[in-house]
Amino acid sequence: MLDRRVIIVGGDHHNTLGVIWAMREAGVRPYVIILSEEASPFVPVSRYLAGSVVIQKMEELLPAVINLSKDQPQKPVVICCHDEMAALIDQSSETLSEYAVVPCGTRPCSLLEWMDKEKMGALAVSCGLDVPASEGFPCIVKPKRSLSGSKDWIRVCRDADQLNECLDLYGAEKLQVQQFIEKTAEFQLIGCALPDGTVLIPGVSSILRPCKGSNTAFLKYSGPETQVDADKVKAFVRATGYCGLFSVEFVRGRDGRDYFLEMNFRNDGNAICVTRAGVNLPLIWCLGASGLDYEAAASARVRTVYVMPEFEELTLLSSRSISIGDFLKDLLLRNAGMDFYFWDQCPFWHQLFRRIKKKIVRKQ
């Protein structure tokens, strides 16, 4: 039984909401710190929260974590759902560790270094993973660090002229250039690295309908044997020295090889699929990080589930990227949603009405 407060930090996003629902499955009412400029964010309206704090600037994060932690008899456990927040917490881990148990690397700022995709790629190669070549056309250009770039920077370049245009526009030092892999599959290994050295990867999330610039999509989650051997990935995670929730992204090329793309040092936006498949990774992190027994939760059986990000599917439907038949087929196949949960519907309706209101305002 978890005997301490849980603090979730993240954006106003289904990533954060999924962790709230995971803690609800464990009988825990967490506190949440939301980074949002919205006047009325939707995540804090969840019925399963013990409390919420909304911040608008990153510099408000550390005082908020300390304020929620300082008077507790046991150090609260922190769960990160946001890249920049994860980096700041790791950077300040020595200070925060006096008040809370935080996901972090081997020393302050080490995660910021590992968030460099080229450094990640070099480590992946040393662990026996395949990484796309750094030369040749077509190639894909993306931010070297997610924190210092945007998904809008991601471009596929067919020749040197297109590549040079991207390098001039965003700065060569800020970009990673790799061979573009014509993929036949896209998948993630979502897991948890614990202080005792255990790296748990219960299964694989296979992206069934990729979205441009994102892997938030209709997906299938199943046991690890259905897609890839995770041993090399576990060795990679251990080599980073990271403790906390994570995900590792891959694509499978037409040559049948699985290519490592990157590791996310935080809870993944698709991670609710693992909870719905029967393994509660946020709970396992909280137990393991607190020195409590997590074996029963970690040994839970994985069942195959299909998970839908409702708002992404509605966007694809409204833009005619998918047909109404495709949407209904996904809806009938789904076992769970990323945005809609029957027992906690207020966040979904709040977000839906907010989106409709924004569309109306844009048309005026």
Side-chain angles (χ1 to χ4, degrees):
M1 181 66 181
L2 192 61
D3 59 353
R4 62 194 66 204
R5 177 174 288 183
V6 174
I7 302 171
I8 305 168
V9 303
D12 193 36
H13 189 267
H14 71 257
N15 186 329
T16 313
L17 197 57
V19 180
I20 295 170
W21 293 341
M23 298 317 300
R24 180 262 176 186
E25 299 285 335
V28 176
R29 295 175 68 88
Y31 286 75
V32 70
I33 300 172
I34 295 293
L35 177 65
S36 176
E37 295 182 354
E38 294 283 347
S40 179
F42 72 92
V43 169
V45 304
S46 170
R47 62 183 292 198
Y48 295 121
L49 288 174
S52 63
V53 178
V54 179
I55 62 174
Q56 295 185 326
K57 299 177 182 179
M58 284 298 300
E59 51 263 36
E60 299 175 65
L61 174 60
L62 301 185
V65 173
I66 292 172
N67 189 52
L68 287 174
S69 305
K70 61 185 180 182
D71 296 326
Q72 292 299 298
Q74 300 278 354
K75 288 183 180 180
V77 181
V78 175
I79 299 175
C80 291
C81 305
H82 186 286
D83 285 324
E84 192 175 355
M85 297 170 96
L88 180 57
I89 282 177
D90 175 70
Q91 178 183 340
S92 309
S93 57
E94 285 188 347
T95 299
L96 289 178
S97 62
E98 298 179 18
Y99 302 93
V101 180
V102 298
C104 60
T106 54
R107 55 182 172 77
C109 296
S110 64
L111 291 194
L112 194 59
E113 296 173 12
W114 283 119
M115 287 178 181
D116 184 310
K117 292 184 177 68
E118 290 189 355
K119 184 174 180 178
M120 270 196 269
L123 179 63
V125 170
S126 73
C127 292
L129 297 168
D130 289 321
V131 175
S134 57
E135 54 187 28
F137 293 99
C139 65
I140 185 168
V141 176
K142 48 191 172 182
K144 188 181 295 186
R145 295 176 185 266
S146 299
L147 300 183
S148 57
S150 164
K151 289 183 179 180
D152 295 335
W153 293 16
I154 300 175
R155 306 277 183 88
V156 176
C157 300
R158 302 291 174 182
D159 53 42
D161 289 339
Q162 291 182 352
L163 174 59
N164 289 330
E165 182 182 345
C166 286
L167 296 178
D168 291 340
L169 183 60
Y170 301 118
E173 73 284 353
K174 296 180 180 179
L175 297 174
Q176 179 191 44
V177 180
Q178 288 184 324
Q179 178 187 6
F180 178 69
I181 304 298
E182 295 285 351
K183 63 188 176 185
T184 60
E186 180 179 357
F187 59 94
Q188 298 169 289
L189 300 182
I190 299 173
C192 178
L194 296 170
D196 65 5
T198 298
V199 176
L200 180 67
I201 300 176
V204 179
S205 58
S206 303
I207 311 301
L208 301 181
R209 181 175 291 117
C211 297
K212 184 177 179 181
S214 171
N215 58 19
T216 298
F218 189 66
L219 61 84
K220 173 185 177 182
Y221 188 82
S222 52
E225 70 283 352
T226 61
Q227 188 80 24
V228 67
D229 181 357
D231 287 343
K232 293 177 181 178
V233 179
K234 291 180 179 180
F236 170 85
V237 174
R238 288 191 185 98
T240 66
Y242 171 70
C243 287
L245 300 170
F246 68 85
S247 65
V248 185
E249 300 177 11
F250 288 86
V251 293
R252 178 165 293 169
R254 295 188 182 280
D255 58 3
R257 296 165 65 186
D258 294 326
Y259 291 92
F260 169 91
L261 297 182
E262 66 176 308
M263 176 176 171
N264 298 301
F265 296 87
R266 50 156 171 83
N267 184 71
D268 192 88
N270 292 334
I272 188 63
C273 67
V274 191
T275 306
R276 296 293 176 246
V279 181
N280 194 327
L281 289 175
L283 173 62
I284 292 169
W285 159 245
C286 291
L287 292 172
S290 303
L292 301 173
D293 183 13
Y294 59 85
E295 290 299 329
S299 60
R301 175 177 166 271
V302 175
R303 59 180 179 270
T304 298
V305 295
Y306 292 85
V307 180
M308 174 190 282
E310 289 87 353
F311 287 116
E312 295 293 340
E313 286 272 309
L314 289 171
T315 298
L316 291 174
L317 179 62
S318 63
S319 64
R320 299 184 180 180
S321 299
I322 61 173
S323 68
I324 185 66
D326 291 329
F327 177 78
L328 292 175
K329 183 170 67 174
D330 291 350
L331 196 62
L332 291 172
L333 187 60
R334 75 188 277 281
N335 300 101
M338 295 185 193
D339 303 289
F340 182 83
Y341 182 39
F342 181 80
W343 303 108
D344 192 23
Q345 296 187 26
C346 285
F348 175 84
W349 297 113
H350 188 100
Q351 171 72 327
L352 180 63
F353 293 146
R354 193 173 75 182
R355 287 184 173 218
I356 292 172
K357 182 178 178 179
K358 284 184 178 180
K359 281 194 173 185
I360 293 172
V361 170
R362 280 198 296 266
K363 290 181 179 180
Q364 290 177 345

